[in-house]
Amino acid sequence: MASANALRIEDIAARFAMQAKGPPGGMRTVAAWLAERPEELAFHTVRGLAERLGCDPGSVMRCVRAAGFGGYAEARESVRNLLRLDYQGYRPRVEALRDIGGNRLLDVLQQAAGQNLDRVFSSPLRAEIEALAPDLLAARRVFCVGVRMAYALAHLFTYRGAIAHANIQPAPNQPGLILDQLIDTGPQDIVLVISFAHYSDETLRAARVARARKARVVAITDRADSPLAEGAWRVLRAPVEGPHVMHSLIGAATIIETLLELMLAQDPGAAERMEGFERSLLEFGAYAAAVPGAAVRRRPRRRG
């Protein structure tokens, strides 16, 4: 039997990954899905998981037992216990990062970056991103809220998005402005909120205000039990795994970049708006033009 004290969440994922290599069928479907997101076991019943994956409950039970658990209840409780212990404060993370050390740290960071990117483009997250793009274009207005580290992500979405799309609103950069901007939202608007553990209170408050105004809230967050996910219209779970002290943002940035490119490809007026923006900046000298064929000057070698 599996024990929460003896396992890490990565170990459980590896067990399901092994099962995913088996013969095609419902059990393989369950195993492949749980190998990518084993923490989902904590939030679904057997029947609920089977319905989500389009298979029978028996396939779920067989998969869980093949992964070393006595039953679904044991597997779910093991994962729940691990999630309770999963988050550590900054100091233990810094110490763990230092313990990895040297060239191995670069390898670990590279591996984590690759895995997070792969997860963005795997099902079902890929499908969820693709389905959201036309809704963002059709909304009356689209807002994006993120503070602290997540402000960079919110600014990326609103700055790049507003150049091409008339309905993207500027990212509020002060707590007071967040409330000022969102109190006028309504059912025709979409509000993206971005935060990861630790979850920023300003962003949680923004989500509450948007929901109270009946706006559609899209949460870009890290976990199924994130407080941002509660009551959200859509949830995009950004992969943040890795040894990083304050989580990796590669997955979340890729989600935002992908949304922006999908929107650009689907908006018939985007090309003209972007052309006008570019022309104006060039006219007023905002960009330094590259000189074709210019070579980097090198210092002459000293003869000795």
Side-chain angles (χ1 to χ4, degrees), residues 247-296:
H247 297 308
S248 170
L249 295 184
I250 289 175
T254 303
I255 288 173
I256 289 169
E257 285 186 347
T258 305
L259 279 172
L260 289 169
E261 300 311 313
L262 289 171
M263 293 168 66
L264 190 65
Q266 297 171 30
D267 186 347
E272 184 176 350
R273 281 191 288 269
M274 292 202 74
E275 181 186 32
F277 176 81
E278 182 183 33
R279 187 189 308 116
S280 296
L281 289 184
L282 288 170
E283 179 183 348
F284 289 98
Y287 295 140
V291 180
V296 177

Side-chain angles (χ1 to χ4, degrees), residues 132-294:
L132 180 59
D135 289 323
L136 292 171
L137 289 173
R140 179 181 64 169
R141 293 173 299 178
V142 179
F143 302 84
C144 189
V145 177
V147 300
R148 300 182 178 86
M149 280 209 319
Y151 178 73
L153 300 171
H155 178 70
L156 168 63
F157 179 83
T158 57
Y159 175 76
R160 164 65 176 73
I163 294 172
H165 314 293
N167 64 342
I168 306 294
Q169 307 300 302
N173 57 10
Q174 298 176 22
L177 293 181
I178 294 173
L179 179 59
D180 291 352
Q181 194 179 60
L182 296 184
I183 55 176
D184 189 39
T185 56
Q188 295 176 296
D189 301 317
I190 293 177
V191 180
L192 279 72
V193 287
I194 310 172
S195 192
F196 315 101
H198 303 303
Y199 303 101
S200 295
D201 186 63
E202 298 98 320
T203 309
L204 293 172
R205 189 180 304 117
R208 289 195 294 269
V209 171
R211 291 197 304 268
R213 302 297 298 176
K214 308 300 183 186
R216 290 166 288 173
V217 174
V218 176
I220 301 179
T221 190
D222 53 340
R223 292 166 55 144
D225 61 342
S226 163
L228 274 188
E230 183 179 352
W233 174 59
R234 301 272 181 84
V235 178
L236 301 179
R237 289 189 51 210
V240 297
E241 284 74 25
H244 309 73
V245 173
M246 298 180 74
H247 297 308
S248 170
L249 295 184
I250 289 175
T254 303
I255 288 173
I256 289 169
E257 285 186 347
T258 305
L259 279 172
L260 289 169
E261 300 311 313
L262 289 171
M263 293 168 66
L264 190 65
Q266 297 171 30
D267 186 347
E272 184 176 350
R273 281 191 288 269
M274 292 202 74
E275 181 186 32
F277 176 81
E278 182 183 33
R279 187 189 308 116
S280 296
L281 289 184
L282 288 170
E283 179 183 348
F284 289 98
Y287 295 140
V291 180

